[in-house]
Amino acid sequence: MKKIGIIGSGTMGHGIATAFSMYGYDVTIYDTNAEVLTKAKELIRQELELFVSEGYLPNLEIEACLAAITFSTNLQETVADRDYVIEAAPEIMELKQNLFKQLDEMCPPTTIFASNTSSLPLQGMMKLVSENRKQRMMINHMYNPAHLMPIVELSFFGNMPEDIYQEVDQLYRSINKQPVKVLKDVPGLVANRIQQGLAREVFSLIEMGVAEPAEIDKALKFGPAFRYATTGHLEVTDFGGLDIWCIVGDNLLKVMDNSQSANQLLRKKVDEGKLGVKSGAGFYEYSPEEVPAIREKFMKKLIHQLKASEYYQ
């Protein structure tokens, strides 16, 4: 597969385009809004420049990467000759069903379709496509920012033959991603479910006043997350001893948060309009003039982590 089509040029779509363009793929990206496409092109340029300046891909030819991406408001032209089409549209089932129906009619019969969702079931999204296409549809959930985060969760739910799955798996490995083969269609797939379990306890600790937000973040960064950057939880468990983990689990789990909905402290901040970086405040404060530098520092940390993680692959 050499020709990649991307539907949607927002936060995830443009990052996916960056990820493929860096490794020489022919990329087309579609959006209904020409202004959003123009913004996406500038963001992609900035992301590529940061890779070079941080020494991750020092010989990357930025202009060649940008030249490999075609930006379009014409869906037919975007997907007509693509080998692999990734949908990164809003999380609305009816929208995705109709979009995949259109793609089914516009694309060659060999084109593989993928959705970047982590919350909608594949079976529902396949409802309006042909039986042949159902064997060539999957979920490929990437993490934001898609050009930096190595993970991609790939569905293998019984609709797709093994050889087609392996073709997609190898595609992602060719752009230095780490595919996670997901065997069952559950809400959140694998990574988001793990993340929500962690988030539930973090918000609970803040709500109880156990420690200030910065101290809780410090405990995570230099405690569990320090190991998790290079070592999976099951590996950590084996090294610590399953007997110890069993005892600690018996002692702690009964007094930990087991709520079935978002924490009320979190909901209160949302109701107050404190949404994080994009609103200027969340658990921390962000002045508008500092936000560009904060974002750049965040990206740089991920690039440094990306460099280090390659040793452990």
Side-chain angles (χ1 to χ4, degrees):
M1 290 189 287
K2 288 295 182 183
K3 297 180 178 181
I4 312 299
I6 300 166
I7 312 302
S9 64
T11 300
M12 291 304 299
H14 90 267
I16 296 170
T18 302
F20 280 102
S21 71
M22 292 192 306
Y23 290 90
Y25 284 90
D26 175 346
V27 179
T28 56
I29 184 167
Y30 164 84
D31 207 292
T32 56
N33 190 321
E35 291 183 9
V36 174
L37 283 170
T38 300
K39 182 180 178 181
K41 186 173 184 178
E42 181 55 33
L43 286 172
I44 291 171
R45 177 183 292 279
Q46 292 172 12
E47 289 161 358
L48 293 171
E49 288 174 347
L50 196 58
F51 270 120
V52 174
S53 67
E54 288 299 301
Y56 181 65
L57 294 171
N59 299 318
L60 189 69
E61 296 182 7
I62 294 173
E63 295 306 322
C65 291
L66 289 169
I69 307 173
T70 300
F71 299 82
S72 178
T73 56
N74 185 308
L75 182 60
Q76 175 76 54
E77 291 178 359
T78 301
V79 303
D81 66 343
R82 300 291 96 179
D83 302 313
Y84 187 59
V85 174
I86 305 165
E87 166 273 313
E91 295 287 89
I92 303 169
M93 178 59 82
E94 186 177 2
L95 175 80
K96 292 181 188 288
Q97 288 174 340
N98 291 327
L99 175 59
F100 280 123
K101 182 176 186 294
Q102 284 182 281
L103 294 175
D104 194 20
E105 295 165 353
M106 294 176 176
C107 294
T110 54
T111 304
I112 299 170
F113 294 167
S115 173
N116 194 59
T117 188
S118 68
S119 63
L120 296 176
L122 179 62
Q123 194 66 36
M125 290 187 288
M126 296 194 301
K127 182 179 179 180
L128 303 180
V129 304
S130 64
E131 290 303 313
N132 175 65
R133 190 75 68 182
K134 288 177 181 177
Q135 297 182 45
R136 309 183 77 83
M137 274 190 70
M138 68 192 310
I139 289 170
N140 73 328
H141 179 236
M142 302 176 78
Y143 255 44
N144 179 37
H147 65 293
L148 291 175
M149 296 295 285
I151 187 175
V152 55
E153 294 176 304
L154 299 179
S155 67
F156 190 63
F157 297 158
N159 63 296
M160 175 177 281
E162 176 73 31
D163 62 322
I164 297 177
Y165 174 86
Q166 287 300 329
E167 191 176 356
V168 177
D169 179 277
Q170 290 304 311
L171 171 69
Y172 281 106
R173 292 181 189 277
S174 76
I175 63 169
N176 210 25
K177 297 300 182 187
Q178 292 291 317
V180 174
K181 191 175 188 179
V182 183
L183 303 177
K184 188 173 183 179
D185 198 350
V186 296
L189 304 177
V190 177
N192 273 351
R193 290 175 75 108
I194 295 171
Q195 183 172 248
Q196 281 299 315
L198 171 66
R200 179 167 60 185
E201 192 58 31
V202 165
F203 297 140
S204 177
L205 288 167
I206 295 172
E207 188 178 43
M208 290 190 295
V210 173
E212 292 295 318
E215 299 303 307
I216 291 173
D217 274 352
K218 187 192 297 184
L220 177 60
K221 286 191 292 185
F222 299 106
F226 192 85
R227 291 186 300 206
Y228 289 155
T230 58
T231 311
H233 183 77
L234 300 179
E235 291 177 277
V236 170
T237 305
D238 276 352
F239 273 97
L242 274 64
D243 53 337
I244 303 301
W245 275 91
C246 191
I247 293 169
V248 174
D250 284 341
N251 291 337
L252 291 188
L253 290 174
K254 59 192 172 191
V255 298
M256 290 172 64
D257 191 352
N258 64 354
S259 58
Q260 299 297 301
S261 59
N263 186 280
Q264 290 306 306
L265 174 64
L266 184 63
R267 197 179 306 280
K268 183 174 183 290
K269 285 189 176 290
V270 171
D271 291 342
E272 293 171 347
K274 295 181 178 179
L275 308 179
V277 175
K278 61 185 176 182
S279 69
F283 288 102
Y284 303 100
E285 300 291 326
Y286 309 92
S287 62
E289 59 271 17
E290 292 176 339
V291 167
I294 291 170
R295 289 188 187 279
E296 183 171 303
K297 184 178 179 181
F298 173 72
M299 296 289 185
K300 285 182 177 179
K301 286 193 292 185
L302 290 179
I303 290 176
H304 296 167
Q305 183 63 40
L306 194 58
K307 291 178 185 177
S309 69
E310 290 181 355
Y311 176 79
Y312 299 98
Q313 291 177 14

